[in-house]
Amino acid sequence: HRDLHSFPTRRSSDLKETFVITTDVDIRGESTHLYSGIKWKLKSHQPINAGTMVKVVKTDVGVMWVEAL
């Protein structure tokens, strides 16, 4: 049994960030987004094309998981 509080994962209710991506985003996390002075890797389970408005659905350490709006 893992203590869920030991992993710094935030849900979308904590981070209501939406923005337009400037590069394609997919599961590999090769795109980045600067937020609060931190360069986050962007990942998505579904490929998203550059120019799409996205919302953050989950964050892991240094990673924002996004979905198209």
Side-chain angles (χ1 to χ4, degrees):
H1 176 68
R2 289 183 172 174
D3 180 3
L4 296 177
H5 299 290
S6 65
F7 296 97
T9 298
R10 302 173 86 189
R11 299 290 169 189
S12 59
S13 58
D14 297 330
L15 186 62
K16 294 182 171 71
E17 175 77 348
T18 59
F19 53 93
V20 175
I21 55 174
T22 57
T23 56
D24 294 347
V25 174
D26 58 27
I27 195 74
R28 294 174 297 172
E30 295 176 357
S31 301
T32 59
H33 176 67
L34 192 63
Y35 178 76
S36 290
I38 299 168
K39 186 183 273 190
W40 297 79
K41 289 184 178 181
L42 299 178
K43 290 189 177 184
S44 174
H45 293 290
Q46 302 295 325
I48 306 172
N49 293 328
T52 302
M53 177 69 77
V54 298
K55 67 177 178 178
V56 177
V57 292
K58 185 176 89 164
T59 59
D60 292 322
V61 179
V63 177
M64 286 182 177
W65 287 88
V66 297
E67 290 180 355
L69 285 179

